[in-house]
Amino acid sequence: MSLNSLISSFSSEEATRFIGFLNKKNKRSDVKNIELFKYLYTDEFSSEEICKRLYSSGKKDAYHALRKRLYESIIEFLAAVNLEEENSEKVAVIKYILVARSFLQQQQFVLGYKLLAKASKIAKEYQLYPYLNEIYHLRIQFAHANDKEDLDELVEAYNFYRKQARLEEELNIVYAKVRAILHQITAKGEVIDFQKIVLRILHEQDIDINESLSFKSLYQLLTIASISAFVSKDYLQIESFMLEMYEVLKEHPNKDRERFFHIHVLYMIANTLFRTKQFGKSMQFLELMDNEIRKNKKKYERIFRLRYELLYTLNLNYTNSQNKAIKRLESIMKKKHSDVVGALDLHLSLVVFYFQKGAVKASYSLLSKLYHTDNWYLEKVGKEWVIKKSLIEILLLVELDKFDLFENRIIRFKRQYGSYIKEVGQERVLIFLKYVEQYYDNPKAITSENFLNTVENSFDWIGAKQEDIFVMSFYAWLKSKMIKKPVYEVTLDLIAQAQEL
C-alpha cells in the first residue's frame, strides 16, 4: 500500500494519535515528518507543491527520504496499535504457556501446572484450539510428574483439540481456494462449475462442517455459502442456512473479540435477505451491522461503511423510499472515499436510481463520469459490474434516442460479452437485448398482448420469489414500455408479487 493510501485510511482520531506518536518519537525540533503527514492527510496539495513547502530549495532527494521515514513510522505505529488491540485473552494464554513451559523444564511442576490450568480455562472458553493443542502437548509430556493426571484422558483430549485445530487449518485452505475461484470468475471472466468444484475441495480437505467450529471458521463457512449464492444467483437456497448459523454465532464467546468477522457476517446476512426481497429483515441486520461498526472507536468504519450505505440505500429504493435513497447517496458521493470498489458501487446505484425515477439526463450525466476503460473497471470491480454498467448505458441511450451510440454499444456488448453470457447460462440477457432493439425500432409494436406473451414465454424464469432482484429490475424497464407505466412503479409491482408467493 502506498503512503498516500495508508494515510487516507486514517480516521481523524487515528491521525491525532499518530501525530502524538511522532511528537514522542521526534528527538529534534525538526517536525517535517508531522508537517508532511498533515499535508498528505488533508490532501489539498500535489506532491510537487508539498516538496516546495517543506524544502524551499525543492530538494527532491530529501523529500523522498522524508516520505520513506514517514512510511516506516506509520508501519511502526500501526504495529503498536494492533498489538494493543490484540485479543487480550489470546495474549494471556500465550504468556501462561511460555512461563509454564519454563517452570516445567526447571522441575517446578506445581507452578507450571497452575499456569497451564489458567491457560486451559481461557483457551477452552474462547475456543483457542491451536493453544489448547500446545497445552495438552505439555501436560502429556510432563504427566509423569503429576499423579493426578490420567494419561488416557489427556491423550483423548489432545486428539480432540488437535482435530479441532486441524479443522480450522483445513477450512482456511478451502476458504482460500474458493476465494481464488471467485477471482477467476469475477475478474477474469472464466466459466467454472463453481458448486461442483467447492464440493470437490471440501472432500479433498476432508472437512466435516458438522463439527464444532471457531468464530473465524464459521465466518469462512458463511462466506463460502455467500460466494456460492453470488455465482449461482440463488440466494434463497442459502437463506435458512445463513440465519441458522447466525443463531450459533450470536451466542459465540468470541463475537466481540472477532468484530471484523462479526461485521462481515452481519453484512452477508443482510445482503442475502435483500436479495431474497425480505427488506425489513435486511434492515434489522443492517442496524446490527451499524452498531458493531460504531464500536472499537469506529476502527472498521472505513472498511465497512460504504458497503453498509450501499445495502441500506438499496433497501430504501426497493421499499418505495427512492427519494430518501437518492438524497442519501448524493450526500455520500460529495465526499472523497479511499474505498474505490465501494464508491463505484454507490455511483452505479445512483445512476440506476435516477434512471428508475425517470431522471434520464441526470442518470446519463452521472454515468458519463465513469470515464475509465472497461478493462480498468474489470480489474477493480469485476465482469458482472461492467456488464451491468453496459446494460444500463444501452437503456439510457434508448431513452435519450441516441441511435448511433445505441447501435455501437449493442454491437460492442455482444462482441465483448456474448460468448461469456452464453457460457454461464445467462442467454436471457441476450434475449432481453433483442427485445430492447425491437422496441427501439418500433415502439408501438411491443404494446400488443401477443408481444407481451411472447416476451414472457421467451425468458427462462426461475420463479419470482427466487429470481434475482437486479434481473427483475431490468425486465421491469421492458415491461414498463409494454404496459405504458413508469418503470419504478412496475419494478415495485413485480417485487410485491414475488413477496406474496
Side-chain angles (χ1 to χ4, degrees):
M1 186 181 283
S2 69
L3 177 61
N4 295 59
S5 298
L6 265 177
I7 291 173
S8 69
S9 69
F10 275 43
S11 65
S12 56
E13 186 176 342
E14 287 169 332
T16 302
R17 284 182 67 186
F18 179 62
I19 290 170
F21 172 83
L22 288 179
N23 274 319
K24 289 179 182 177
K25 187 179 178 181
N26 288 343
K27 296 178 180 179
R28 299 176 299 169
S29 58
D30 182 12
V31 290
K32 278 189 167 57
N33 54 356
I34 295 175
E35 290 179 56
L36 174 59
F37 175 78
K38 288 179 177 178
Y39 282 133
L40 293 174
Y41 186 71
T42 54
D43 194 25
E44 293 177 359
F45 304 103
S46 68
S47 190
E48 290 78 11
E49 288 171 325
I50 295 171
C51 180
K52 287 179 182 177
R53 283 171 175 265
L54 292 171
Y55 301 99
S56 55
S57 57
K59 293 188 269 186
K60 289 186 178 180
D61 289 346
Y63 174 65
H64 288 301
L66 180 64
R67 284 179 64 95
K68 185 179 178 182
R69 290 198 301 275
L70 180 62
Y71 184 90
E72 290 168 353
S73 294
I74 289 175
I75 298 301
E76 185 182 342
F77 167 75
L78 292 175
V81 168
N82 286 325
L83 191 60
E84 281 176 23
E85 295 175 350
E86 182 57 68
N87 187 318
S88 58
E89 288 77 20
K90 190 183 293 184
V91 172
V93 169
I94 292 169
K95 287 178 180 178
Y96 287 144
I97 291 173
L98 289 173
V99 179
R101 182 190 291 124
S102 177
F103 281 146
L104 291 170
Q105 288 170 348
Q106 296 171 43
Q107 298 186 9
Q108 296 185 42
F109 300 118
V110 175
L111 286 173
Y113 267 94
K114 277 186 178 180
L115 290 175
L116 282 183
K118 287 183 178 181
S120 183
K121 184 180 179 181
I122 298 170
K124 284 177 181 176
E125 184 179 354
Y126 296 105
Q127 294 181 311
L128 303 174
Y129 296 127
Y131 302 107
L132 281 164
N133 206 14
E134 178 63 21
I135 290 165
Y136 276 86
H137 177 86
L138 285 171
R139 287 180 66 179
I140 289 169
Q141 183 181 347
F142 292 95
H144 64 276
N146 189 345
D147 293 336
K148 294 179 181 179
E149 293 282 31
D150 183 318
L151 188 58
D152 290 336
E153 287 182 4
L154 285 178
V155 171
E156 185 180 352
Y158 173 70
N159 286 332
F160 173 76
Y161 291 121
R162 183 173 62 174
K163 187 178 181 182
Q164 293 301 104
R166 176 192 161 277
L167 177 64
E168 283 193 0
E169 292 168 0
E170 296 298 334
L171 192 55
N172 194 48
I173 292 169
V174 173
Y175 174 80
K177 288 183 176 180
V178 169
R179 297 294 304 192
I181 294 167
L182 180 65
H183 177 72
Q184 287 178 280
I185 294 169
T186 57
K188 297 182 180 179
E190 294 185 18
V191 181
I192 292 168
D193 188 341
F194 181 83
Q195 290 178 325
K196 184 178 178 181
I197 291 177
V198 169
L199 288 172
R200 176 174 59 77
I201 293 170
L202 287 167
H203 177 71
E204 285 174 354
Q205 303 301 142
D206 193 24
I207 297 294
D208 180 1
I209 61 174
N210 294 314
E211 294 186 57
S212 176
L213 297 169
S214 67
F215 195 95
K216 180 184 176 184
S217 295
L218 286 167
Y219 154 78
Q220 290 177 322
L221 195 56
L222 283 169
T223 304
I224 291 168
S226 183
I227 292 171
S228 176
F230 170 78
V231 173
S232 65
K233 299 293 179 290
D234 188 357
Y235 285 86
L236 199 63
Q237 177 181 290
I238 66 161
E239 182 191 299
S240 60
F241 169 74
M242 300 283 273
L243 293 172
E244 286 169 15
M245 291 289 280
Y246 183 69
E247 289 302 310
V248 176
L249 278 169
K250 72 180 184 181
E251 302 299 328
H252 201 286
N254 274 3
K255 77 177 191 300
D256 292 330
R257 293 161 186 82
E258 302 283 11
R259 184 153 283 121
F260 173 84
F261 297 129
H262 188 190
I263 295 170
H264 208 140
V265 165
L266 291 169
Y267 169 77
M268 287 190 289
I269 296 173
N271 182 56
T272 297
L273 290 167
F274 164 73
R275 299 297 283 258
T276 57
K277 309 166 195 75
Q278 297 191 65
F279 307 117
K281 287 183 180 179
S282 178
M283 289 294 245
Q284 288 173 12
F285 277 91
L286 282 175
E287 184 178 356
L288 293 173
M289 181 184 176
D290 185 43
N291 290 339
E292 293 301 317
I293 291 173
R294 292 178 186 278
K295 294 176 182 177
N296 277 63
K297 298 177 181 178
K298 298 186 179 181
K299 178 181 178 182
Y300 299 113
E301 179 77 21
R302 288 176 184 263
I303 299 172
F304 289 106
R305 180 53 64 189
L306 293 192
R307 297 188 212 184
Y308 166 85
E309 292 295 345
L310 173 67
L311 209 42
Y312 187 88
T313 51
L314 282 168
N315 273 292
L316 284 178
N317 184 64
Y318 287 98
T319 50
N320 203 15
S321 297
Q322 189 178 70
N323 288 334
K324 284 184 182 178
I326 289 173
K327 188 175 180 181
R328 192 174 181 112
L329 279 187
E330 287 174 338
S331 175
I332 294 166
M333 288 182 60
K334 287 176 183 176
K335 302 170 186 175
K336 186 176 180 180
H337 301 286
S338 57
D339 179 1
V340 176
V341 174
L344 286 171
D345 282 338
L346 291 177
H347 192 119
L348 194 60
S349 291
L350 187 55
V351 168
V352 173
F353 295 172
Y354 281 151
F355 177 71
Q356 290 176 328
K357 184 181 172 69
V360 177
K361 288 183 179 178
S363 180
Y364 188 67
S365 174
L366 189 61
L367 184 74
S368 300
K369 292 178 181 177
L370 298 171
Y371 54 83
H372 290 289
T373 65
D374 279 3
N375 284 337
W376 189 88
Y377 290 114
L378 282 169
E379 184 180 329
K380 295 292 180 183
V381 279
K383 183 160 282 191
E384 181 173 285
W385 189 95
V386 175
I387 287 174
K388 195 184 299 181
K389 169 183 170 289
S390 300
L391 288 172
I392 293 164
E393 182 185 18
I394 287 168
L395 298 186
L396 282 167
L397 292 172
V398 171
E399 295 285 3
L400 293 167
D401 195 20
K402 295 179 179 286
F403 178 74
D404 290 340
L405 275 175
F406 167 77
E407 194 172 42
N408 174 270
R409 295 296 187 272
I410 282 274
I411 292 169
R412 191 175 72 179
F413 182 89
K414 290 177 181 177
R415 184 177 66 246
Q416 289 181 324
Y417 307 114
S419 298
Y420 169 78
I421 286 167
K422 289 176 184 176
E423 287 171 354
V424 296
Q426 290 296 321
E427 288 89 347
R428 57 187 177 170
V429 174
L430 300 176
I431 295 170
F432 171 76
L433 284 178
K434 181 183 75 174
Y435 289 123
V436 171
E437 288 182 274
Q438 287 186 23
Y439 165 73
Y440 198 15
D441 290 339
N442 188 0
K444 292 181 180 179
I446 76 161
T447 57
S448 69
E449 189 173 340
N450 285 338
F451 189 87
L452 178 61
N453 292 333
T454 301
V455 169
E456 293 196 341
N457 291 330
S458 297
F459 289 103
D460 182 19
W461 299 108
I462 58 174
K465 189 173 182 179
Q466 193 176 356
E467 187 59 79
D468 182 74
I469 192 168
F470 296 124
V471 172
M472 292 179 77
S473 298
F474 279 108
Y475 174 70
W477 176 85
L478 185 59
K479 188 167 184 178
S480 74
K481 299 302 180 185
M482 292 188 284
I483 63 175
K484 295 183 177 179
K485 283 187 176 181
V487 63
Y488 187 56
E489 182 184 330
V490 175
T491 303
L492 296 182
D493 286 344
L494 285 173
I495 289 167
Q497 291 168 25
Q499 291 172 320
E500 290 170 4
L501 296 175

